[in-house]
């Protein structure tokens, strides 16, 4: 995952309210874990992350991670197949919700 700049979303959104959480988000999750591309490429990390978010019904974070996934090479066809496959394992309503987000992110 090539951000080109240091991740600051945690500090920008929660820095004053939850500074330790913001630090862990920006420095550990995005600064260290996502940077381990030799162990697991960013494309695969994005597929896993998107799948986990859909499975858990965590749709608030899904648009940002779908955009990251698109940057990491996930195609419109792949995201459609991922959601279709997940629909049978995590539930039809979650798939519908995910498709509505994916359409906004992947249609341009």
């Amino acid at each position: 995952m090539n951000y080109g700049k240091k991740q600051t979303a945690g500090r920008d959104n929660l820095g004053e309210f939850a500074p330790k959480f913001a630090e862990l988000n920006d420095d550990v999750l995005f600064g260290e874990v996502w940077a381990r591309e030799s162990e697991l490429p960013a494309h695969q990390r994005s597929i896993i992350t998107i799948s986990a978010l859909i499975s858990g019904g965590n749709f608030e974070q899904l648009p940002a991670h779908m955009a990251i996934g698109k940057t990491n090479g996930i195609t419109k066809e792949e995201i459609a197949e991922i959601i279709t496959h997940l629909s049978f394992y995590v539930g039809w309503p979650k798939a519908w919700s995910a498709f509505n987000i994916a359409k906004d992110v992947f249609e341009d």
Side-chain angles (χ1 to χ4, degrees), residues 40-106:
L40 187 67
H43 183 267
Q44 291 176 337
R45 284 185 193 275
S46 284
I47 290 172
I48 293 164
T49 302
I50 290 167
S51 297
L53 291 172
I54 293 170
S55 297
N58 299 306
F59 298 109
E60 186 176 341
Q61 290 79 31
L62 200 52
H65 277 283
M66 282 191 178
I68 291 168
K70 187 176 177 182
T71 299
N72 289 335
I74 295 176
T75 65
K76 180 177 163 182
E77 293 76 21
E78 283 179 307
I79 200 66
E81 190 62 27
I82 290 164
I83 298 168
T84 299
H85 185 78
L86 283 173
S87 68
F88 289 92
Y89 292 93
V90 304
W92 212 255
K94 288 179 181 175
W96 267 105
S97 296
F99 270 123
N100 286 329
I101 294 167
K103 281 174 45 181
D104 288 341
V105 173
F106 284 85

